[in-house]
Amino acid sequence: MTFDALIARGQRIEPRDDMPEGYRKTLVRQIAQHAHSEIIGMQPEGEWITRAPSLRRKAILFAKVQDEAGHGLYLYSAAETLGVDRAELTELLLQGRQKYSSIFNYPTLSFADVGVIGWFVDGAAICNQVPLCRSSYGPYARAMVRICKEESFHQRQGYELLLRMMSGTEAQRADVQDAVDRWWWPSLMMFGPPDDDSPNTAQSMAWGIKRHSNDELRQRFVDMTVPQAEKLGVTLPDPELRWNEERGHHDFGRPDFDELKRVISGDGPCNEQRMARRRQAHEDGAWVRAAAAAHAAKHRAQQGRSQQHRWQQDGSQEEQG
Ligand SMILES: [Fe+2]
Ligand SMILES: [Fe+2]
């Protein structure tokens, strides 16, 4: 069946299928950006692992950050089915030719940030990613299913941490509110530019890569988060935020999309630090990659030798027969 027929029937495109070059390129860009975000996203929270207030919180945070590394690996593997390899994608990131999510360029100033990242950032990731489980490209959609299960655990751990802090001291409650104030708008920006300034959305939706527009997903996130904020007892920092009976949705203020552009183009509070750390980690890991490659080569050579041995045996048995 042709690509267009598969898309029209809502069937999955698999690596063996013919696909337009634009489709392949869009997917490589999107999956790579997603993979990079998972890996760079380990940094802001990772900074708190050694400073977690208890062993329990340390274990939870450690597991969460490790999950994000796993998400990066599933996604790099999904990208590899499109004929690019991880080394190539990492190189593009390090050269600044591929992006990662703007949200990870903001600093984590207190332990409450760990909770708010789980609640907002993983929450926004869920809104973005649940529809991607039905994305038209098979390997991407399948990777998403598992990732979404883990993201929903991440969101709950963040919210649970905040519930605990809100029943703590005055200073803890103030830390939570301060973190909410700092992360709310950057979290809304995670959904990307507004629909009227998002030129690739229509094509991505026609190809079944994307299922909803940026503004639809942003609305869904706001509607999901407002009652959670009420329950928690924090104020979302938007004076325009209110329920609109007619629309059946919350109205809310417009994020500063100029800030989004600045942060994406490298001028956020932590861009330099994040990239420097990523570059350093890549260089520090060079010996691991070299060792893994040497091991794989040795394994291949051994397999080759035993294969040759089997053929020789088969041959001599035939001669005897
Ligand atoms: Fe993740
Ligand atoms: Fe997560």
Side-chain angles (χ1 to χ4, degrees):
M1 214 182 298
T2 65
F3 175 84
D4 289 330
L6 286 169
I7 293 286
R9 289 188 180 201
Q11 286 182 2
R12 290 269 164 81
I13 307 298
E14 296 296 338
R16 61 171 184 271
D17 295 324
D18 284 331
M19 58 186 91
E21 189 53 19
Y23 177 82
R24 197 187 73 85
K25 279 195 171 146
T26 301
L27 273 168
V28 168
R29 195 182 56 230
Q30 181 174 334
I31 299 175
Q33 176 168 334
H34 193 163
H36 299 326
S37 302
E38 300 283 357
I39 300 297
I40 299 259
M42 295 166 75
Q43 292 185 34
E45 288 176 286
E47 286 171 10
W48 282 92
I49 290 174
T50 55
R51 293 180 286 168
S54 68
L55 181 60
R56 178 168 176 265
R57 290 294 166 196
K58 191 195 286 269
I60 293 171
L61 182 55
F62 211 15
K64 197 249 183 190
V65 171
Q66 204 167 26
D67 281 353
E68 306 299 6
H71 298 173
L73 296 184
Y74 309 152
L75 289 162
Y76 284 124
S77 300
E80 284 184 336
T81 66
L82 293 160
V84 283
D85 79 331
R86 191 170 133 196
E88 214 176 302
L89 298 176
T90 304
E91 203 42 56
L92 289 170
L93 172 72
L94 295 178
Q95 290 169 7
R97 290 165 60 199
Q98 279 182 345
K99 308 282 185 203
Y100 58 92
S101 175
S102 56
I103 194 74
F104 301 117
N105 293 309
Y106 292 85
T108 40
L109 304 182
S110 82
F111 200 70
D113 289 38
V114 168
V116 171
I117 288 177
W119 179 30
F120 285 172
V121 176
D122 291 275
I126 292 167
C127 286
N128 264 328
Q129 293 170 14
V130 165
L132 291 175
C133 297
R134 293 183 294 116
S135 175
S136 59
Y137 188 57
Y140 190 32
R142 288 189 289 274
M144 262 333 142
V145 172
R146 180 151 174 196
I147 290 177
C148 283
K149 285 184 185 158
E150 294 178 351
E151 298 301 5
S152 95
F153 164 71
H154 295 170
Q155 192 203 17
R156 281 160 204 219
Q157 70 80 32
Y159 195 70
E160 189 265 348
L161 167 60
L162 298 177
L163 279 172
R164 285 296 295 272
M165 288 187 77
M166 289 302 285
S167 65
T169 63
E170 197 51 52
Q172 284 177 306
R173 277 193 292 277
D175 277 355
V176 174
Q177 184 60 57
D178 176 60
V180 165
D181 291 345
R182 283 182 290 107
W183 288 93
W184 175 248
W185 292 109
S187 299
L188 291 189
M189 292 172 203
M190 283 177 71
F191 296 92
D195 291 353
D196 52 29
D197 187 23
S198 180
N200 300 324
T201 294
Q203 180 62 76
S204 276
M205 285 175 76
W207 276 331
I209 297 174
K210 256 179 112 148
R211 298 287 179 188
H212 307 282
S213 75
N214 296 351
D215 287 335
E216 282 167 16
L217 293 166
R218 198 168 1 249
Q219 179 74 62
R220 188 176 293 190
F221 173 73
V222 171
D223 289 339
M224 176 179 95
T225 309
V226 168
Q228 296 170 346
E230 278 163 18
K231 198 164 175 135
L232 192 60
V234 295
T235 309
L236 298 174
D238 179 359
E240 293 175 51
L241 186 64
R242 64 181 58 86
W243 176 251
N244 183 325
E245 189 65 53
E246 220 166 284
R247 290 201 308 124
H249 291 291
H250 292 86
D251 291 339
F252 57 98
R254 190 181 161 88
D256 180 354
F257 290 113
D258 292 334
E259 176 179 326
L260 174 64
K261 274 186 194 150
R262 279 199 306 278
V263 175
I264 286 183
S265 62
D267 196 16
C270 300
N271 296 57
E272 247 169 69
Q273 180 190 334
R274 302 295 184 232
M275 285 306 291
R277 180 83 54 89
R278 182 70 195 85
R279 192 165 288 117
Q280 185 66 50
H282 189 65
E283 283 163 17
D284 291 348
W287 72 271
V288 180
R289 292 190 296 279
H295 178 76
K298 198 167 110 186
H299 194 70
R300 267 197 307 276
Q302 262 168 3
Q303 269 185 331
R305 268 199 302 279
S306 59
Q307 184 71 273
Q308 210 170 22
H309 185 67
R310 266 197 301 278
W311 286 334
Q312 276 167 355
Q313 279 190 327
D314 288 350
S316 60
Q317 273 164 6
E318 269 166 33
E319 275 163 33
Q320 281 166 9

